[in-house]
Amino acid sequence: MVRPGSRERVEELLRTRWREPVLVLRLGEATGLGFDVPGRRPDGTVEGSRRVRQFFRNVLRGLGVAAGAVLSLASNAGSGARTSFKRQVHVTGPTGAMALEPVDAFRSARGPWLACSPSGLAIVDTGPTTADPAHAPEPRLVWEARAPQAPELRLRTRTMTWPDGSGFTFPLHDRVEEQRLRSRLGPRDTVFWNGDPEAGSRPG
């Protein structure tokens, strides 16, 4: 649930900071992100850290996958369907990938939002969005990049790409956010920054 007013607080913060029109999208859960980056496990944790906790987590994950496999095979019996349990990859790149800084900021946020403008990108944490905005903490900027340091953003595919080749495919919170994004995109990957096709756009 996203309480009315949460998005508007993020928009106000970035419009004041950047002096540009902004598009703000509520990001989805970070717990399901998949990583393909040397030094990181598939779930994004750093290799070599929290070994005992990771051992028990792997045991529990293995039991869960096994149970899921049994249930899936039972439900797909006779249908000829194939099921894959491989984690979907959202973050790719070399060791120390540039994408890791914003992704880690996203993972630590309790109420993450992506804000983008013609020259900037940011991740903002509002805290739980079920709280009444009137009593919620002030939105907190946890990561920011401005042109020319900002990564290349492709909103239609929801991807960010950095000069070192690393990339992040960001998840959205729900269908409301997906519809909001689609409504701001035009032909040839243009973005209607002010929500009006006649108000100006740029590749996104």
Side-chain angles (χ1 to χ4, degrees):
M1 176 181 176
V2 178
R3 291 285 292 268
S6 298
R7 187 190 314 276
E8 289 75 11
R9 297 174 77 220
V10 178
E11 290 176 341
E12 181 180 1
L13 171 68
L14 273 304
R15 282 186 182 133
T16 301
R17 185 178 181 87
W18 291 343
R19 304 295 181 182
E20 292 182 329
V22 297
L23 171 61
V24 173
L25 301 166
R26 176 66 161 90
L27 294 174
E29 294 292 331
T31 53
L33 293 183
F35 286 68
D36 184 10
V37 178
R40 295 291 182 113
R41 300 186 183 96
D43 66 355
T45 55
V46 179
E47 290 181 350
S49 66
R50 298 179 291 179
R51 296 190 178 206
V52 174
R53 184 185 301 177
Q54 187 66 29
F55 170 77
F56 288 106
R57 184 180 296 168
N58 288 338
V59 170
L60 293 174
R61 184 182 295 118
L63 292 174
V65 169
V70 171
L71 292 173
S72 179
L73 288 173
S75 65
N76 290 323
S79 67
R82 296 183 179 179
T83 304
S84 172
F85 299 98
K86 187 176 180 180
R87 181 187 289 266
Q88 182 182 355
V89 174
H90 296 82
V91 188
T92 60
T95 302
M98 298 174 72
L100 292 176
E101 180 184 355
V103 170
D104 286 341
F106 163 46
R107 296 172 73 211
S108 66
R110 298 187 65 190
W113 298 78
L114 174 68
C116 46
S117 76
S119 68
L121 280 172
I123 294 176
V124 178
D125 185 8
T126 59
T129 53
T130 55
D132 185 341
H135 305 294
E138 290 297 315
R140 184 169 60 94
L141 189 70
V142 296
W143 174 79
E144 178 184 23
R146 302 296 303 276
Q149 286 77 28
E152 179 185 6
L153 174 66
R154 293 291 176 184
L155 283 171
R156 193 171 298 279
T157 56
R158 291 186 282 180
T159 57
M160 304 179 200
T161 306
W162 280 261
D164 65 349
S166 61
F168 174 35
T169 303
F170 56 88
L172 293 178
H173 184 261
D174 53 24
R175 290 184 179 179
V176 173
E177 299 303 314
E178 293 174 359
Q179 292 169 355
R180 182 176 183 82
L181 175 57
R182 285 197 298 269
S183 71
R184 301 289 286 272
L185 296 177
R188 298 180 297 279
D189 291 334
T190 54
V191 181
F192 305 134
W193 291 109
N194 295 303
D196 181 356
E198 302 301 323
S201 58
R202 93 186 247 282

